[in-house]
Structures are given as structure tokens and as C-alpha cells.
Amino acid sequence: MSDVVIVEELVKRYGDVEAVRGISFGIRKGEVFGLLGPNGAGKTTTIHVIATLLRPTAGSVLVAGHDVVKEAAEVRKRIGIVFQDPSLDWALTAWENMYIHGLLYGLSGEGLNSRIREVLEFVELWEHANRLVRYFSGGMRRRLEVARALLHSPELLILDEPTIGLDPHTRARIWDYIREVRKREGMTILLTTHYMDEAEELCDRIAIMDHGKIIAEGTADELKSLVGSDVIIARFDRPACFQSGPVKECRELPDGRVEFVVENAAKALPQLFEMAREAGLRIIEVSYRRPTLNEVFLHLTGRELRDAPAEGPRPFAMMGRRR
Amino acid sequence: MGFAKAFGVMVYRQLKRFVKARGRLIMTFVQPLIWIFFFGVGMGSVFSFSNPVAESFIKQMFGGLDYMTYLTTGVVGMTVFLGSFISGITVLWDKQFGFLKETLVAPAPRSAVILGRAFGDTLVVLLQATIIALVAKAVAPSINLLGLPGALLYGFILGMGLTSAGIVISLRMTTPESFQVVMNFVMMPLMFLSGVFYPLDRLPEWAKAIATANPLTYAVDGVRYWLTGVSMHDPLTDLAVLIGISAVFIALAVYEFSKATIE
């Protein structure tokens, strides 16, 4: 097995709340693997276990062949992590933050100095190296955290919601860095996100998480093929489902709308209108989409990913301020 | 891997932060000066008599020292006590701002990280203590500054212990409000029942019992010995007790930090 990360039957419980309920997955060397899911799905808990910051309740996690509980120090050497909440020392400069990180990871001397310069130039912060982090914008801080995670050239780079709370411009920039890191250093990357476009844009393989479980896993195309080709979503004056003509699959959604899976929505729509008229149904609303990961999520859970409620405890509420 | 590097870099960080936090810099000097000034001037005037008999009686109460000398040497010890405890508590701020996670996920030995941190903070506090001692010399000329290195050794041991105690408490603490509780119900009584402001031998038994268990008592006594030659206990006893108490706190801090997660 050349998998960089192997997660087997991982369970994490906080009191009586089960944040992660027995998940298994592997991350191959050199790939970008995404955990996609709504807030509270258990993504952050999962990566905190992988990063040795939380002890699993059950199951095992190996990073580059090392157990995260028994060989935590070996695992820590090999990973770089960008947390969802800031973890910089605001009272120090960017350079000082990098320098401290380097020494904590066993680097020093000229090697460390030139590497600091290299990664700060990479995230375009070299000219701000001697400014206090306190005066950095949110985007600059995130870029600095990315640079810091790269400083010791980890085998596995972990990014927890790398673009949350960032403006579109900065977001695109972070995406560029991630692609560039992968190309230049061949690093294996694990990222969590609740943005479908981010998962689709960056990840080779995606695991969709919901309520502490992985409900689907594969490439974006594989996941979309779970839904079929196109999806029509309609609301009638009363719930109704029909499965004839172009409709390959039909089911009622919890919110009262009906989902039709069809080969080609543009051609199926007129036929669907006709069928509804014949059945005496009044159409209140209708829309169609080419399948996105959101449709996959909707298909698997009956809820939209974008408005899935935040659930479960925020495990590190104690650690950071809520935003 | 890299125990010395990790230890060193945490010392570096604590010193850097100290130099950059001007507010804290100023407050840590001003507070003991306020004690010396108001307590010294106020109580000093109560205890000064023109009658030589009364004068010598008072001096006898303070081990042969005039009140200003007695007080200021105590304040040197107190500065270390409060300063290092509050430094330890700043781990809470690292929790709040997330920097603690950065140190927890690093491969550096956790013991090195936490000991380096305590050491750096203790150095800062000893610098403050030195400045207080110089101020004390100005208002109480009989103080012997040649004893300062000896006094600072006691301060160092107390500082390492109290920083560690602060670290343990802040690792366990869930809300910053508990800090006030600890300050008011633990630190303040310990400060008053330590011989900084008045001798302990005439206190009621329960207060004496607290003073006997109080690390600050031994630090104040030891510091006073080195700066004036007057002490309640044998200075070696002071040293032994201080080392014992601090070792327990340091061991606890290393243990707590080694098994810290972010739950």
C-alpha cells in the first residue's frame, strides 16, 4: 500500500455525541483528497485526529505508515497543517512566526533562512516579512499560514477550510497556490471544504461526509454519475411522482419538491409539462440543473449542501473565537 | 529531536513578545513601585518614631530592619511571584489566539516547548525583580546589592515554579473569568500571608499554617536574607523547600502539556 493516509473505522465521541461514526478512507500519494460536507459533518474532527491533536475513540489512523497515537512525533514531522481558525502569533512579525515554526520543526541556520524567503515569496508576502501579523488582513494571514505549513516541506499538507471567510479574489489566489504546490512539490494534500466548487476545482478524489459518516467517495465525475445526467426539480400543487417517458428516476424530496433524473433536461422538460397537464397537476416551480456535487449531496441526503444546518458540537469551541 | 532548539526558540519567543508588549512592560514595573510607594510611605510613617526606645522596639519586630528595608526586599520576591504566575496564565491567550495549536502539532518535544516558555518568562520576571531591587536600594540604602545574584537564584526557582503553576491552571481553565477567581482567592491571600508586608510570627495559627505552605514565604525570606542578612529560616531551608515546591509544579506542567489535546 502506498497510501499516505489510511483511516480505518475511525470513531470520535465527545461525551455522548458521536462526531465521527466509523469512517474509512485512504489518500494516495500525490493526490488532492477532499472531505466535502456541511458544517458539523465531522470533517474538522477527522483531520484533527489525523494531525494528532485529538485521540480517536476507536479505529486507527496511519500517516506515512505511522500510527497517530503511538508514533505521534513521527506523524507530526511529516505533516503541515493550516487550521480553520488562525494559529499565528499576532504579537510577532511574519518572519518571526516562520522562524519559530522552523526551529520547532528542527530546521535552522542558512537552510531555514533561505527556505523562509522561498515560501514567503511563494505566497507573495516577502515584502511584508517584517510587519507584525496583527496588521495583516485576513487573506494575508491565511497566506502566511499556508507558507508556514509548507516551510518544513511536509509529505502531507492538511488544509481545513482553506478559503472560508475569504473574498473571491483571495480565494482564487489560494487555489492557485494549492495547485502550484501540488505541481512543484508533488505533495499529497488533504483538504476539507463545504464549498462544492472548491472540491470540484481542486480535488482528485472527494469523500462526502454527513453526520459523521462518509456517504460517497470518488472523483467528481464518479460522484455525479450517481445522480445520472441531468436533474429536474419541480414543485406541483400536490406531491406526485411519475416514472415514464424520459424520467429515469423520480422521488419526492422532504421539502415537498420532486426530483426527476433524466438523460437530457432540455428535451425532457416539454414532455414533463405534458405529463403533468395530463395528470391534472399545476406546476408551481420548476428548475433543472446539470448535476453538480450539490445535486449529489441532495440526492444522497435529501438536503441541499449549501443550506445544511450546522449541527453537532464545535469540538474546539474552547480554542478559538467563533466567527 | 531538537530539545535544545525547541527550548531556545520558546525562550526567544517569550522575550520577543515581552519587548513588543509595551503596555505589559510598563505595568509590570509600575505595579510594584506603587506598592513600595504607598505602602512604604504609609506604613513607614506609622512605624517611625523619634523615641529611640520605640524605634528599636519596632526594629526588633522586623528582625532588626527598618520598615522600608523590610518591605522593599519583600516586594522583590512578590514581583517574581505575581509576574511569573501571570506569565504562565498567558497560555490562555495562546489558546484563544490559536498559537497553542501550532505548538501542539509541532514535532518538537513538548517538554522542551513548555520548559523553554517557563524559562523565557522567568528571565523577564527576573529582569523586573532586578529593577525593583535597584529602586529599593534608592529608598532603603541599607540594602546590600552584592547579595542580588543570590536573591535572583531564589527568584529563578520561584519563577519557574509559579510560571508552571500558571501554565497548569490555564491548560485546565475553560473561561478567562476563572483567572479572576484564582487571583482573588488564591494569589492575593498568598501574597499577604508570606511576610512581604509584615512578619509572620505573631499571626494566628491558621494564618501561620497557610504561610508555612506558601512558596512565596520561602522566596521572600531567602531574598531578604541575601539583600539584608536578616531571615526567619535558614536560607538553605528556604532553598530546599522552594526547589521542592517548584519541582512539583514544573513536573505537573510538563505532564499536563505532554498529554494536552484540543478537546
Side-chain angles (χ1 to χ4, degrees):
Chain A
M1 283 286 263
S2 67
D3 282 4
V4 175
V5 178
I6 302 167
V7 175
E8 264 168 14
E9 294 302 321
L10 174 66
V11 176
K12 179 64 197 179
R13 214 174 282 131
Y14 300 100
D16 359 306
V17 184
E18 230 177 12
V20 176
R21 315 178 178 190
I23 60 169
S24 303
F25 60 90
I27 303 176
R28 295 173 198 144
K29 196 165 171 48
E31 77 175 344
V32 180
F33 186 90
L35 285 174
L36 172 69
N39 295 327
K43 297 170 303 201
T44 296
T45 300
T46 304
I47 64 161
H48 280 170
V49 173
I50 294 173
T52 76
L53 288 177
L54 285 175
R55 265 178 266 278
T57 308
S60 76
V61 178
L62 296 182
V63 176
H66 298 280
D67 187 284
V68 294
V69 178
K70 294 188 205 104
E71 302 166 281
E74 290 300 316
V75 173
R76 287 175 189 148
K77 264 187 235 172
R78 290 171 171 80
I79 59 174
I81 182 165
V82 176
F83 294 102
Q84 188 172 338
D85 298 304
S87 65
L88 297 162
D89 191 330
W90 290 33
L92 300 179
T93 66
W95 191 88
E96 286 160 353
N97 267 283
M98 300 297 280
Y99 179 70
I100 289 172
H101 181 89
L103 282 157
L104 287 175
Y105 282 75
L107 309 173
S108 57
E110 235 351 271
L112 174 57
N113 286 335
S114 59
R115 179 71 181 159
I116 289 177
R117 179 163 187 160
E118 188 185 337
V119 290
L120 283 180
E121 277 173 350
F122 174 62
V123 299
E124 299 158 85
L125 283 177
W126 177 246
E127 61 271 37
H128 301 288
N130 292 318
R131 271 176 78 193
L132 289 182
V133 171
R134 180 178 301 135
Y135 303 120
F136 277 25
S137 68
M140 289 166 80
R141 277 186 212 126
R142 197 66 56 84
R143 276 149 58 201
L144 181 60
E145 297 215 41
V146 171
R148 193 178 61 176
L150 293 173
L151 185 66
H152 56 286
S153 311
E155 283 175 45
L156 173 69
L157 177 65
I158 301 176
L159 305 162
D160 192 6
E161 299 277 6
T163 64
I164 197 168
L166 297 181
D167 62 87
H169 175 71
T170 313
R171 208 166 160 231
R173 222 160 153 184
I174 300 267
W175 284 5
D176 286 342
Y177 296 145
I178 295 172
R179 289 194 199 100
E180 185 67 24
V181 164
R182 194 199 166 186
K183 207 162 63 184
R184 278 216 307 213
E185 321 217 3
M187 215 173 263
T188 309
I189 300 174
L190 163 60
L191 67 85
T192 74
T193 182
H194 67 279
Y195 300 119
M196 296 159 286
D197 55 340
E198 186 161 282
E200 206 163 340
E201 194 73 32
L202 297 174
C203 299
D204 299 307
R205 285 193 309 132
I206 299 161
I208 299 182
M209 265 190 104
D210 189 40
H211 294 303
K213 291 201 145 153
I214 290 181
I215 52 177
E217 189 189 329
T219 63
D221 285 338
E222 283 166 5
L223 290 172
K224 286 182 202 167
S225 70
L226 292 174
V227 188
S229 315
D230 287 1
V231 177
I232 296 171
I233 294 181
R235 189 192 295 280
F236 303 117
D237 49 357
R238 59 191 151 88
C241 229
F242 24 87
Q243 208 145 357
S244 56
V247 179
K248 288 200 289 193
E249 205 182 311
C250 168
R251 70 190 180 109
E252 286 172 30
L253 298 176
D255 63 2
R257 293 182 299 172
V258 186
E259 176 193 87
F260 299 95
V261 177
V262 297
E263 197 66 55
N264 182 331
K267 287 189 178 144
L269 268 173
Q271 290 172 273
L272 195 69
F273 288 155
E274 189 65 24
M275 284 152 69
R277 201 178 52 79
E278 276 166 16
L281 293 165
R282 201 162 60 81
I283 300 172
I284 295 166
E285 61 170 82
V286 65
S287 61
Y288 88 89
R289 293 174 242 187
R290 310 215 74 95
T292 64
L293 292 174
N294 188 52
E295 271 66 58
V296 178
F297 191 81
L298 183 65
H299 178 77
L300 292 168
T301 66
R303 287 177 292 131
E304 305 256 354
L305 179 54
R306 65 173 72 95
D307 51 40
E311 283 173 82
R314 198 172 129 105
F316 48 95
M318 182 185 102
M319 303 288 304
R321 295 149 306 152
R322 276 168 188 272
R323 281 179 303 187
Chain B
M1 182 190 80
F3 187 95
K5 259 183 207 170
F7 183 90
V9 78
M10 286 307 287
V11 175
Y12 165 87
R13 175 194 184 235
Q14 297 309 107
L15 295 181
K16 275 274 176 191
R17 278 180 72 92
F18 172 70
V19 174
K20 292 191 177 178
R22 294 210 185 81
R24 193 179 141 210
L25 202 72
I26 293 164
M27 266 322 289
T28 42
F29 292 130
V30 169
Q31 202 191 21
L33 294 184
I34 289 175
W35 282 106
I36 288 180
F37 185 76
F38 290 104
F39 229 81
V41 169
M43 298 301 274
S45 68
V46 172
F47 293 131
S48 79
F49 298 93
S50 47
N51 182 337
V53 179
E55 180 94 26
S56 76
F57 172 73
I58 292 295
K59 277 203 170 181
Q60 203 185 333
M61 222 166 73
F62 292 106
L65 301 173
D66 63 274
Y67 186 68
M68 210 55 171
T69 307
Y70 184 88
L71 173 74
T72 52
T73 49
V75 169
V76 173
M78 187 189 86
T79 304
V80 174
F81 183 72
L82 285 183
S84 52
F85 183 74
I86 290 171
S87 303
I89 291 287
T90 57
V91 167
L92 198 64
W93 269 248
D94 283 352
K95 243 184 194 179
Q96 206 81 344
F97 283 91
F99 183 78
L100 192 70
K101 278 185 290 191
E102 156 78 356
T103 55
L104 289 179
V105 81
R110 294 230 179 133
S111 54
V113 170
I114 210 66
L115 289 174
R117 187 194 173 102
F119 188 85
D121 282 338
T122 304
L123 288 187
V124 169
V125 169
L126 290 185
L127 173 73
Q128 294 164 349
T130 304
I131 292 172
I132 300 301
L134 297 180
V135 173
K137 173 75 180 173
V139 295
S142 64
I143 286 176
N144 171 24
L145 282 183
L146 291 179
L148 189 59
L152 290 181
L153 172 70
Y154 285 68
F156 174 75
I157 297 163
L158 178 74
M160 286 297 286
L162 264 286
T163 317
S164 302
I167 290 168
V168 171
I169 289 174
S170 50
L171 284 175
R172 300 225 140 198
M173 201 149 49
T174 45
T175 62
E177 286 73 30
S178 0
F179 172 63
Q180 285 304 326
V181 176
V182 174
M183 278 313 275
N184 289 328
F185 288 97
V186 182
M187 297 308 281
M188 283 297 170
L190 289 184
M191 206 174 89
F192 283 104
L193 294 175
S194 66
V196 172
F197 302 104
Y198 38 76
L200 301 168
D201 44 13
R202 294 184 180 200
L203 291 177
E205 286 307 314
W206 63 266
K208 266 191 200 165
I210 295 175
T212 309
N214 181 358
L216 181 56
T217 304
Y218 303 93
V220 166
D221 198 51
V223 168
R224 196 170 277 141
Y225 170 79
W226 284 97
L227 294 181
T228 67
V230 172
S231 70
M232 189 168 69
H233 312 287
D234 181 336
L236 286 177
T237 311
D238 288 331
L239 189 64
V241 174
L242 265 184
I243 290 176
I245 295 176
S246 288
V248 170
F249 283 136
I250 292 169
L252 261 179
V254 169
Y255 173 76
E256 284 282 330
F257 193 66
S258 297
K259 65 178 192 60
T261 63
I262 56 170
E263 264 166 278

